[in-house]
Amino acid sequence: MTEIDCTHEINSTKRHEPAAPLPVAERWFRTRRVETTLTRIDEPHVNELLRANIWWVKGRDRDLVVDTGLGVASLRKHLPQLFARDPLVVLTHSHLDHMGGAYEFDFCAAHPGDPFRDPPPGSLNGPAVLDELGITSDLRETVPPVLVNAIPHSGYDVGDYRLRPARITRWLRDGDHIDVGDRQFTVLHLPGHSPSSIGLFDQHTGTLFSGDVIYDDVLIDDCIGADRTVYRNTMQTLIDLDARTVHAGHGDSFNGARLHQLAADYLEPGTH
């Protein structure tokens, strides 16, 4: 993922605080209507390494929220409309940029295998995040010291960031269904990036919410819990999937042809 320019120096103190104060963001969350019943939410002041998509599906009977962002700012405070219908949150996996805001929701579902209820502490310090995730790739040469270029409110201390546990009220398995009244999503267990990684697939529309299993950029397969052999099996599953639209965990959405090409590229001999 492309790096945001973050020019703030970081001192050598234990808390990794920036040397100069970060500005207060006018708005922390950005919302964009994709379809009548689908909204994409992200955090534009977060470095793209951790700037994940939150997908809000408005169902006839119930809303669905796929992933919850980093948890730097309160979703309930900034986007109260997201909570109006007691939505079901589905977490595609347990990394901090996807489950950071999950603690604010009453109903969360996830696939077992990741530490949703006992996560690592998390950090907004770039090198510390890479250490925590166990990433050893070239990202270490480009990751900035501070992974935000603003703060959500005056007095916010980036050194105080902590990832909070999610209240999982339903464990999902491959083949389970999420029904919101006028749409039904099938749970696809797609491990490789993490043991619990899942996607949600609407067979009727051909829509896949893919989390970090696949997005249109360099995929991370060297973090703690990743398994490249298993990931290759997942990519074969995606090649065979009759998807027309993919709403990924990072970046823009893309079509089924691009999905199949990305999966095929990963499977190229000598690539991974």
Side-chain angles (χ1 to χ4, degrees):
M1 287 169 281
T2 305
E3 176 189 330
I4 294 176
D5 180 24
C6 186
T7 58
H8 299 282
E9 297 292 334
I10 193 165
N11 62 26
S12 60
T13 66
K14 183 178 180 180
R15 292 168 62 82
H16 301 294
E17 294 174 340
L22 293 169
V24 176
E26 183 178 348
R27 289 188 180 88
W28 188 259
F29 294 101
R30 174 173 52 184
T31 62
R32 287 168 282 183
R33 183 69 59 85
V34 178
E35 301 168 2
T36 303
T37 59
L38 178 63
T39 299
R40 174 184 172 186
I41 304 167
D42 68 357
E43 300 167 276
H45 297 287
V46 174
N47 180 275
E48 287 194 4
L49 175 67
L50 297 181
R51 190 197 305 164
N53 292 322
I54 301 167
W55 297 102
W56 177 19
V57 180
K58 294 183 179 179
R60 185 191 65 204
D61 300 337
R62 190 177 193 183
D63 288 359
L64 169 68
V65 176
V66 182
D67 290 334
T68 60
L70 189 56
V72 170
S74 168
L75 283 162
R76 187 177 290 274
K77 177 181 178 180
H78 291 268
L79 298 173
Q81 64 272 30
L82 199 61
F83 295 79
R85 302 178 67 200
D86 290 329
L88 172 66
V89 168
V90 171
L91 299 174
T92 60
H93 61 300
S94 70
H95 288 160
L96 70 167
D97 49 333
H98 294 264
M99 66 164 277
Y103 72 95
E104 296 193 83
F105 292 87
D106 294 328
F107 306 101
C108 290
H111 192 283
D114 278 11
F116 297 100
R117 290 174 169 168
D118 186 25
S123 177
L124 297 179
N125 171 260
V129 166
L130 296 186
D131 287 342
E132 183 175 281
L133 295 176
I135 295 174
T136 59
S137 66
D138 292 341
L139 284 172
R140 290 190 171 272
E141 299 177 6
T142 59
V143 66
V146 182
L147 293 172
V148 293
N149 62 13
I151 53 177
H153 58 79
S154 178
Y156 184 87
D157 188 337
V158 297
D160 287 340
Y161 173 84
R162 292 295 180 271
L163 178 60
R164 305 191 197 185
R167 294 191 295 265
I168 303 299
T169 56
R170 177 183 174 186
W171 290 112
L172 300 172
R173 302 287 182 177
D174 184 70
D176 283 354
H177 294 102
I178 303 293
D179 194 336
V180 297
D182 52 348
R183 298 183 69 175
Q184 187 177 89
F185 298 90
T186 301
V187 176
L188 304 179
H189 185 211
L190 302 170
H193 177 69
S194 81
S196 75
S197 289
I198 58 171
L200 297 181
F201 184 55
D202 179 348
Q203 187 172 5
H204 179 71
T205 63
T207 300
L208 173 68
F209 292 94
S210 66
D212 277 3
V213 172
I214 198 162
Y215 47 84
D216 198 354
D217 210 323
V218 178
L219 300 177
I220 295 176
D221 61 3
D222 65 337
C223 53
I224 293 172
D227 185 317
R228 288 173 177 166
T229 299
V230 173
Y231 216 154
R232 292 177 65 85
N233 294 336
T234 283
M235 289 301 177
Q236 189 58 59
T237 297
L238 293 176
I239 285 178
D240 297 335
L241 189 68
D242 186 19
R244 296 194 286 275
T245 304
V246 180
H247 300 307
H250 294 267
D252 294 335
S253 303
F254 46 91
N255 62 24
R258 183 59 178 158
L259 167 69
H260 298 150
Q261 184 61 57
L262 290 167
D265 289 346
Y266 188 92
L267 291 172
E268 277 291 313
T271 304
H272 294 273

